[in-house]
């Protein structure tokens, strides 16, 4: 009785996308992709727009108030010398100018310039978000490519096992259920290949969206192994404290809040509004002039509330810096353990596990050559070695991803809208930025 | 050699080989187009026959004659050609009591166990004193294959203790093993405190310590000594103890040969025998496996005794000699009275049993001599699946790049696979040039067919029966003897030269 047949490859039923199978394919390097992303990722331009917006506000906030020109007619109908009603005691043009005091404009401009600096830090953070994300997905794609080639090797192992089952069957050394099981293992290995092909396509497409322009599906070229020295947690945290753009933004925001307090402190200083003009007094039938000075008397409202609010904002921002520091430490804690675990696994696989499995495979091959072991034992060792290589790709990807985050200030998600400087509530709501 | 898938392939191969041999120096692969895969496969492996089908040049001197004054025939039984004799009740039926060339006056024939030494002794105060050292031993069972086992005095099996009936012997045993041991003198009727049955009769000998065994030997025959710790026994702790009779057995033999059969389990890429196993994948005769076992070389017409002792831990061995019918003349207990001798071709030898075979070597040639259990006729059997049985696949392709598999055709295109059970052939081991050099670098194998190492595996050796002149060339000269020349000469003198077929030369071996 013939053994159950080896099943056909499942390509047709699986609508295989046949990764990189036809024609020449594009080959992308990391630098090239980073450059493309810098040019095309919309969030980076959003971030630039945020800076421009703040600079615009700074300009606006520093503009001197315009003079006010008015025509005035007063006491219309007052009796004139002839006993007639006159057009008025005064008909004429008046010019009024507000003289800003207390350095309000300078402070306002300063405040918005400082806000622009916050936006610059946020834009820097956005750049890291984009670049880190491009890097991470570049490595994901790279890993997916390597996993695909290993999975294809493993499918060959499964094919060999199926053929071996047929041979064993013909020798009376395996039975029909065993042959069927080998066939099933083969189909599963083939499905694994298809799944990894799909995963590769997904990784590449995700990478393409981060870059900001559609790339035709191709391959990426690079090295998955981490390249940077392993750093300690405290070192990594020290780096964050010194250089994190998020923290820099929070600190810059404190300086904004500082100048906001200063600005609000002078808000009560009354501006001097001077007005003057010339006209005709129809009652006295002569040309007259008007002049006036307006000065708000800060008797009740010395802007105490807003000052207090600004001070509170300032105090809150001090806490915000601490919060950001702690939050970074918190995020780093998880990422660092994953980074370290990935590095430890990758190194141990590199130095011990893979060489040992490879040596075991080699020794079994040599023993088979000497006719000392059965072929299924060799296949098992081959499978174990290939399987560990698969795990190593995961280890390397894991280590590399976390390394990008550790060295890239924990920033990722390059398609989240670039954040602007956080709003400041009531003070923001005045018509002229102050 | 496989006869499958068809005889057509077989004859095609022969035609090809003949052609290629004639085109000496020409390309061996020329003219291969159109031959079947199987024929190509064979062609790859076998390059040519040494002399085509021509006999090599004559060797020795067929006219040198036979020993003078020797009676060639008794009662219809000839010492020089296969015969049975005229009468089953005759003393000479099947050469039963036919004397050899050696006279009883010359004393007992020297005992010889190939590949084993004898334990030296000194006469001390009228006692033969031996020093026996149980120790860990590395034994090269095949060229390049060293096993870690236990033995005595740097040998596994231990050296032979050879004494004569009536001797008083003293054996000073110094334990160089890292564990306790004792030595049992198997079969001797000795005072109980020297029996070596650990704990029952003596305290175990601690590492580094000695124990003195001393007793009179009143028996004679084939005996042995061994550790009385079971796992040490399974690990190889045994040796021959031959007691020659004071009065030479009649008729005297010319050759007195001894073989210890053992087996072990050894994992691949491992050298330490696993004495706990129930199955056994390594067979040895006097500590060597075929084809590294040393052939027993005797002269045509000699009376030969072979003493076989089975010290396998778990396996009995049906031992078979080709080309001769032998008499069972003794077991380990004692020599058997002649009336109870049994003629046989195969004798089952159980564990811890010894059997003495006697026969007249009346049939020249290279004769298989082996345990008949098929799984004992090889070492480390493996299943015949994988690249080895696949057309166009080699293990080298896998070894060349361990990170990639060369892949496999989903259908084995060997037409043989249409036959259920194919291939049944247990293909032999891969024999590297150094391996073959060690195999051939022994006088005992000179002039055998070039392919003999392919057939002698595991618990197998060869009995070579050589005419006097050829015996001298093989065993007493340093002459280089061409492969197959002695065999061919025997064919020329005793066989049918017209049907002679030379051995094929193996690829990479010369
Ligand atoms: Cu056997």
């Amino acid at each position: 009785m013939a053994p159950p047949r080896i099943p056909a490859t499942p390509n047709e039923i699986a609508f295989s996308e046949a990764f990189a199978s036809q024609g020449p394919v594009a080959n992308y390097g990391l630098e090239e992709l980073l450059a493309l992303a810098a040019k095309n990722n919309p969030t980076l331009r959003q971030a630039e727009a945020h800076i421009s917006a703040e600079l615009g506000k700074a300009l606006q906030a520093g503009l001197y108030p315009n003079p006010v020109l008015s025509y005035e007619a007063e006491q219309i109908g007052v009796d004139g010398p002839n006993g007639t009603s006159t057009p008025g005691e005064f008909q004429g043009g008046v010019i009024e100018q507000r003289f800003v005091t207390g350095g309000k404009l300078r402070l306002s401009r300063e405040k918005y310039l400082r806000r622009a600096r916050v936006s610059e830090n946020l834009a820097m953070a956005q750049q890291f978000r984009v670049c880190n994300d491009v890097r991470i997905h570049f490595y994901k794609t790279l890993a997916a490519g390597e996993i695909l080639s290993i999975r294809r090797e493993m499918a060959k192992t499964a094919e060999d096992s199926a053929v071996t089952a047929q041979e064993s069957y013909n020798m009376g050394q395996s039975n029909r259920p065993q042959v069927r099981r080998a066939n099933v293992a083969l189909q599963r290995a083939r499905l694994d290949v298809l799944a990894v092909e799909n995963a590769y396509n997904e990784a590449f497409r995700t990478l393409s969206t981060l870059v900001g322009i559609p790339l035709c599906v191709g391959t990426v070229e690079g090295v998955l192994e981490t390249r940077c020295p392993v750093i300690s947690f405290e070192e990594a945290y020290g780096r964050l404290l010194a250089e994190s753009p998020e923290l820099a933004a929070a600190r810059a925001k404190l300086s904004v809040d500082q100048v906001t307090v200063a600005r609000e402190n002078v808000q009560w200083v009354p501006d001097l509004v001077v007005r003057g003009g010339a006209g005709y007094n129809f009652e006295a039938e002569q040309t007259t002039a008007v002049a006036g000075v307006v000065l708000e008397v800060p008797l009740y409202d010395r802007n105490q509330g807003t000052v207090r609010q600004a001070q509170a904002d300032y105090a809150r921002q001090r806490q915000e810096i601490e919060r950001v520091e702690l939050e970074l430490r918190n995020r780093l804690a998880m990422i660092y353990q994953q980074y370290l675990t990935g590095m430890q696994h990758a190194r141990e696989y590199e130095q011990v596990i893979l060489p040992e499995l490879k040596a075991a495979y080699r020794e079994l091959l040599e023993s088979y050559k000497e006719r000392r072991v059965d072929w299924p034992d060799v296949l098992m060792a081959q499978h174990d070695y290939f399987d560990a290589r698969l795990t190593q790709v995961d280890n390397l990807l894991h280590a590399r991803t976390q390394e990008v985050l550790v060295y890239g200030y924990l920033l990722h998600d390059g398609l989240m809208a670039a954040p602007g400087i956080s709003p400041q509530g009531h003070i923001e709501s005045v018509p002229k930025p102050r | 050699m496989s006869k499958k898938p068809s005889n057509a392939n077989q004859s095609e191969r022969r035609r090809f080989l003949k052609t290629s041999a004639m085109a000496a120096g020409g390309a061996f692969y020329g003219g291969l187009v159109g031959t079947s895969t199987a024929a190509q496969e064979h062609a790859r492996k076998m390059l040519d026959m040494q002399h085509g089908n021509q006999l090599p040049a004559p060797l020795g001197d067929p006219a040198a004659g036979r020993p003078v004054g020797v009676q060639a025939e008794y009662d219809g039984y000839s010492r020089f050609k296969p015969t049975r004799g005229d009468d089953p009740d005759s003393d000479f039926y099947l050469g039963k009591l036919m004397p050899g060339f050696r006279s009883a006056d010359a004393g007992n024939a020297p005992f010889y166990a190939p590949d084993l030494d004898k334990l030296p002794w000194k006469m001390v105060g009228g006692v033969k004193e031996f020093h026996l050292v149980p120790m860990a031993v590395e034994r090269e069972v095949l060229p390049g294959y060293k096993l870690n086992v236990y033995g005595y005095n740097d040998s596994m099996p231990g050296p032979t203790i050879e004494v004569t009936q009536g001797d008083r012997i003293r054996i000073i045993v110094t334990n160089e093993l890292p564990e306790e041991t004792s030595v049992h003198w198997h079969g001797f009727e000795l005072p109980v405190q020297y029996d070596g049955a650990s704990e029952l009769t003596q305290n175990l000998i601690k590492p580094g310590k000695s124990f003195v065994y001393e007793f009179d030997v009143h028996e004679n025959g084939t005996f042995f000594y061994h550790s009385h710790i079971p796992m040490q026994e399974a690990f190889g702790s045994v040796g021959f103890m031959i007691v020659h009779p004071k009065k030479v057995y009649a008729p005297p033999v010319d050759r007195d040969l001894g073989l210890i059969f053992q087996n072990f389990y050894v994992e691949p890429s491992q050298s330490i025998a696993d004495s706990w196993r129930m199955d056994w994948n390594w067979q040895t005769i006097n500590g060597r496996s075929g084809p590294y076992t040393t052939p027993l070389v005797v002269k045509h017409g000699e009376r030969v005794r072979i003493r076989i002792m089975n010290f396998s831990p778990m396996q009995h061995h049906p031992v078979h000699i080709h080309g001769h019918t032998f008499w069972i003349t003794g077991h380990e207990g004692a020599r058997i009275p002649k009336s109870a001798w049994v003629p046989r071709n195969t004798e089952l030898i159980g564990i811890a049993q010894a059997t003495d075979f006697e026969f007249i070597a009346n049939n020249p040639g290279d004769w298989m001599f082996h345990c008949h259990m098929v799984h004992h006729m090889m070492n480390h059997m493996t299943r015949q699946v994988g690249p080895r049985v696949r057309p166009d696949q080699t293990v080298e392709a896998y070894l060349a790049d361990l990170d990639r598999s060369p892949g496999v055709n989903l259908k084995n295109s060997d037409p043989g696979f249409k036959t259920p059970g194919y291939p049944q052939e247990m293909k032999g081991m891969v024999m590297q040039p150094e391996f073959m050099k060690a195999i051939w670098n022994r006088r005992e194998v000179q002039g055998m067919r070039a392919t003999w190492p392919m057939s002698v595996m595991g618990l197998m050796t060869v009995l070579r029966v050589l005419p006097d002149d050829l015996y001298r060339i093989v065993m007493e000269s340093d002459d280089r003897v061409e492969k197959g020349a002695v065999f061919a000469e025997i064919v020329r003198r005793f066989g049918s030269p017209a049907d002679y077929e030379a051995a094929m030369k193996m690829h990479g071996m010369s």
Side-chain angles (χ1 to χ4, degrees):
Chain A
M1 205 186 331
R5 282 184 178 286
I6 295 176
T9 53
N11 276 352
E12 296 128 49
I13 55 154
F15 313 103
S16 170
E17 288 197 88
F19 153 79
S21 61
Q22 298 113 335
V25 289
N27 199 349
Y28 301 93
L30 179 58
E31 294 309 315
E32 182 188 359
L33 291 167
L34 286 173
L36 282 172
K39 247 193 292 177
N40 298 299
N41 185 300
T43 69
L44 294 179
R45 265 168 294 157
Q46 281 184 328
E48 280 166 33
H50 282 305
I51 302 172
S52 299
E54 294 303 328
L55 287 173
K57 284 188 200 167
L59 176 67
Q60 183 63 37
L63 292 181
Y64 212 80
N66 290 326
V68 180
L69 216 53
S70 55
Y71 182 86
E72 290 188 22
E74 291 175 1
Q75 304 281 1
I76 297 168
V78 73
D79 292 340
N82 321 331
T84 57
S85 279
T86 64
E89 277 189 353
F90 183 80
Q91 290 262 357
V94 178
I95 186 162
E96 184 184 294
Q97 177 67 51
R98 172 179 288 265
F99 294 97
V100 182
T101 58
K104 293 192 192 78
L105 293 179
R106 183 184 52 77
L107 284 169
S108 285
R109 187 199 287 117
E110 178 61 24
K111 178 176 142 188
Y112 285 100
L113 284 176
R114 290 189 186 191
R115 280 172 64 91
R117 228 161 293 144
V118 175
S119 290
E120 278 169 19
N121 284 313
L122 291 176
M124 178 68 78
Q126 189 64 24
Q127 267 187 16
F128 276 104
R129 282 200 175 90
V130 171
C131 288
N132 290 349
D133 226 10
V134 168
R135 284 193 181 96
I136 288 169
H137 282 86
F138 172 81
Y139 295 125
K140 272 191 180 163
T141 312
L142 193 61
E146 289 184 19
I147 286 171
L148 180 55
S149 76
I150 295 171
R151 280 283 179 201
R152 284 178 176 157
E153 292 303 316
M154 293 178 83
K156 283 196 253 174
T157 306
E159 283 180 345
D160 202 328
S161 292
V163 170
T164 302
Q166 302 270 323
E167 288 165 355
S168 300
Y169 185 89
N170 204 43
M171 301 286 291
Q173 289 161 357
S174 68
N175 55 22
R176 299 177 71 81
Q178 285 169 320
V179 173
R180 291 187 198 284
R181 291 168 71 93
N183 287 348
V184 166
L186 170 59
Q187 284 319 75
R188 284 189 170 153
R190 285 167 168 170
L191 284 172
D192 284 342
V193 171
L194 291 179
V196 174
E197 274 181 11
N198 299 341
Y200 180 88
N201 286 331
E202 182 214 334
F204 194 90
R205 285 168 188 152
T206 308
L207 179 62
S208 175
T209 61
L210 286 164
V211 165
I213 51 164
L215 304 171
C216 44
V217 173
T219 56
V220 293
E221 214 172 52
V223 179
L224 206 48
E225 281 79 11
T226 59
R227 285 291 163 84
C228 304
V230 183
I231 60 174
S232 70
F233 180 85
E234 290 309 325
E235 248 181 298
Y237 186 55
R239 240 178 130 257
L240 280 174
L241 290 187
E243 296 163 22
S244 162
E246 282 175 296
L247 200 50
R251 287 185 184 131
K253 174 68 169 35
L254 184 68
S255 126
V256 171
D257 290 349
Q258 203 170 21
V259 85
T260 304
V261 172
R263 173 65 184 78
E264 294 307 322
N265 271 331
V266 298
Q267 177 65 20
W268 65 273
V269 179
D271 287 348
L272 192 63
V273 182
V274 178
R275 54 198 307 264
Y280 191 78
N281 187 326
F282 288 94
E283 190 202 356
E285 295 182 336
Q286 55 184 311
T287 300
T288 59
V290 292
V293 171
V294 180
L295 195 67
E296 184 190 337
V297 182
L299 192 57
Y300 309 110
D301 177 0
R302 292 183 306 282
N303 201 33
Q304 309 93 306
T306 309
V307 166
R308 195 181 289 178
Q309 184 196 346
Q311 281 168 340
D313 283 349
Y314 178 72
R316 188 200 61 195
Q317 190 60 23
R318 292 183 86 94
Q319 296 308 306
E320 176 69 7
I321 292 171
E322 246 178 79
R323 186 195 71 80
V324 170
E325 285 175 1
L326 288 173
E327 203 247 342
L328 285 172
R329 194 175 168 92
N330 181 303
R331 268 148 70 196
L332 181 65
M334 189 185 77
I335 287 169
Y336 189 82
Q337 76 86 5
Q338 291 184 350
Y339 164 68
L340 211 56
T341 302
M343 293 295 275
Q344 286 162 345
H345 276 65
R347 188 164 297 189
E348 212 51 28
Y349 266 71
E350 182 70 36
Q351 290 178 356
V352 178
I353 295 171
L354 285 177
E356 287 294 281
L357 283 171
K358 190 173 189 171
Y361 172 43
R362 182 200 303 280
E363 281 165 357
L364 279 167
L365 268 174
E366 278 162 359
S367 290
Y368 176 80
K369 194 176 147 194
E370 285 186 42
R371 310 195 171 171
R372 293 214 53 194
V373 293
D374 294 339
W375 185 244
D377 294 344
V378 184
L379 284 181
M380 218 179 292
Q382 187 190 54
H383 176 272
D384 288 353
Y385 172 52
F386 288 175
D387 193 49
R389 282 168 60 205
L390 214 53
T391 309
Q392 174 66 337
V393 174
D394 277 347
N395 294 335
L396 289 174
L397 176 61
H398 208 67
R400 194 80 210 229
T401 304
Q402 311 307 327
E403 183 194 73
V404 165
L405 293 176
V406 167
Y407 277 87
Y409 311 109
L410 316 183
L411 293 162
H412 59 100
D413 272 346
L415 280 181
M416 295 264 288
I421 177 168
S422 54
Q424 40 185 325
H426 168 76
I427 305 174
E428 281 279 88
S429 68
V430 300
K432 177 167 165 87
R434 87 178 190 212
Chain B
M1 199 151 305
S2 168
K3 292 237 175 348
K4 286 180 176 168
S6 76
N7 288 328
N9 285 338
Q10 187 91 347
S11 54
E12 190 164 20
R13 192 192 79 239
R14 284 192 54 193
R15 183 193 56 73
F16 163 70
L17 289 165
K18 281 182 183 177
T19 322
S20 62
M22 278 188 280
F28 290 125
Y29 296 101
L32 265 184
V33 183
T35 60
S36 76
T37 316
Q40 286 186 35
E41 184 60 21
H42 281 292
R44 238 201 308 281
K45 288 182 183 160
M46 315 217 167
L47 288 188
D48 69 341
M49 290 190 275
Q50 255 172 328
H51 306 276
N53 277 346
Q54 305 304 305
L55 283 165
L59 184 74
D61 177 11
R66 290 158 176 168
V68 283
V70 166
Q71 195 175 332
E73 196 175 309
Y74 288 75
D75 234 352
Y77 181 85
S78 168
R79 70 165 76 242
F80 291 119
K81 64 171 195 264
T83 38
R84 297 188 92 79
D86 292 334
D87 179 3
D89 292 326
S90 160
D91 278 349
F92 302 102
Y93 179 64
L94 288 170
K96 185 176 183 184
L97 297 185
M98 178 181 251
F101 301 137
R102 185 185 179 91
S103 88
D105 303 338
N108 289 298
F111 175 79
Y112 172 63
D115 307 313
L116 293 180
D117 292 332
K118 286 180 186 172
L119 191 63
W121 53 273
K122 262 193 327 219
M123 195 61 92
V124 179
V127 179
K128 279 185 181 169
E129 189 176 284
F130 295 86
H131 289 266
L132 190 66
V133 183
M135 61 196 292
V137 169
E138 190 179 69
R139 179 77 182 185
E140 191 168 24
V141 294
L142 276 174
Y145 290 78
K146 291 179 179 167
L147 296 195
N148 292 101
V149 285
Y150 282 1
Y152 298 92
N153 300 53
D154 280 319
S155 177
M156 193 293 305
T160 302
I161 295 176
E162 191 178 13
V163 299
T164 306
Q165 185 179 20
D167 285 346
R168 182 169 181 82
I169 58 172
R170 179 182 304 131
I171 303 128
I172 300 160
V173 175
T174 304
N175 182 11
E176 285 190 7
L177 288 171
E179 59 189 30
E180 298 174 330
T181 191
S182 70
V183 183
H184 170 56
W185 314 95
H186 192 112
F188 287 94
E189 299 162 354
L190 40 58
V192 70
Q193 75 268 31
Y194 301 118
D195 188 46
S198 58
E199 283 115 345
L200 179 67
T201 64
Q202 72 168 88
N203 297 328
L204 284 164
I205 312 169
K206 295 206 179 308
K209 300 292 182 216
S210 297
F211 188 88
V212 180
Y213 297 87
E214 185 168 333
F215 54 93
D216 294 311
V217 177
H218 65 268
E219 49 273 273
N220 59 56
T222 306
F223 298 93
F224 48 101
Y225 62 89
H226 63 83
S227 160
H228 213 268
I229 310 288
M231 299 322 272
Q232 293 176 0
E233 295 178 60
F235 211 63
S237 300
V238 68
F240 260 132
M241 187 142 174
I242 301 299
V243 186
H244 294 292
K246 236 184 294 190
K247 183 185 163 208
V248 179
Y249 294 142
V253 296
D254 297 293
R255 304 269 166 189
D256 192 0
L257 305 166
L259 302 175
I260 296 179
F261 284 31
Q262 286 165 284
N263 52 26
F264 303 91
Y265 187 86
V266 186
E267 291 276 3
S269 62
Q270 173 55 291
S271 65
I272 303 168
D274 180 356
S275 64
W276 279 263
R277 295 294 281 242
M278 298 298 285
D279 52 342
W280 308 86
N281 68 355
W282 211 294
Q283 322 290 334
T284 61
I285 297 177
N286 288 356
R288 285 190 180 182
S289 299
Y292 203 34
T293 48
T294 301
L296 306 175
V297 190
V298 306
K299 285 185 192 174
H300 190 196
E302 283 184 333
R303 186 175 181 93
V304 178
R305 178 191 303 128
I306 302 174
R307 310 170 191 247
I308 295 175
M309 202 272 283
N310 176 13
F311 207 66
S312 303
M314 308 280 291
Q315 278 75 19
H316 308 306
H317 300 298
V319 179
H320 175 52
I321 304 181
H322 290 210
H324 293 82
T325 302
F326 52 83
W327 289 94
I328 305 291
T329 62
H331 288 122
E332 74 285 354
R335 185 156 173 96
I336 302 166
K338 287 163 186 155
S339 59
W341 289 8
V342 178
R344 303 213 75 153
N345 300 123
T346 305
E347 166 73 350
L348 178 64
I349 306 178
I351 294 157
Q353 292 184 346
T355 302
D356 296 351
F357 303 60
E358 284 185 32
F359 59 95
I360 300 293
N362 65 0
N363 198 1
D366 296 338
W367 299 105
M368 278 274 183
F369 180 2
H370 62 100
C371 168
H372 215 291
M373 285 205 191
V374 292
H375 287 194
H376 291 180
M377 289 194 262
M378 53 194 92
N379 287 319
H380 52 75
M381 287 205 324
T382 52
R383 290 164 198 271
Q384 298 300 298
V385 296
R388 183 154 68 238
V389 298
R390 294 172 190 160
D392 309 316
Q393 263 212 302
T394 63
V395 188
E396 269 72 18
Y398 287 83
L399 281 166
D401 184 357
L402 296 175
D403 292 338
R404 285 184 193 289
S405 167
V408 59
N409 280 327
L410 290 183
K411 201 164 161 29
N412 193 320
S413 58
D414 186 333
F417 269 89
K418 290 192 179 118
T419 309
Y422 175 84
Q424 281 299 312
E425 180 184 23
M426 173 71 196
K427 297 188 181 182
M429 18 186 354
V430 173
M431 297 182 184
Q432 305 296 340
E434 314 81 65
F435 184 101
M436 293 310 294
K437 210 171 149 193
I439 295 293
W440 280 103
N441 203 15
R442 300 174 291 171
R443 289 310 300 177
E444 286 89 344
V445 306
Q446 299 307 306
M448 288 172 73
R449 299 183 91 225
T451 45
W452 80 266
M454 295 170 65
S455 66
V456 177
M457 309 264 176
L459 223 40
M460 301 177 102
T461 186
V462 176
L463 171 72
R464 299 191 80 188
V465 177
L466 304 181
D468 189 71
D469 59 318
L470 297 181
Y471 182 91
R472 285 174 197 285
I473 289 170
V474 169
M475 295 300 290
E476 292 168 9
S477 81
D478 292 326
D479 297 352
R480 188 181 170 277
V481 185
E482 209 180 343
K483 288 186 178 111
V486 170
F487 186 85
E489 187 61 23
I490 288 171
V491 169
R492 198 193 308 271
R493 293 187 203 174
F494 303 96
S496 317
D499 297 337
Y500 170 81
E501 242 189 273
M504 271 159 287
K505 213 163 128 184
M506 296 301 293
H507 180 65
M509 298 172 194
S510 54

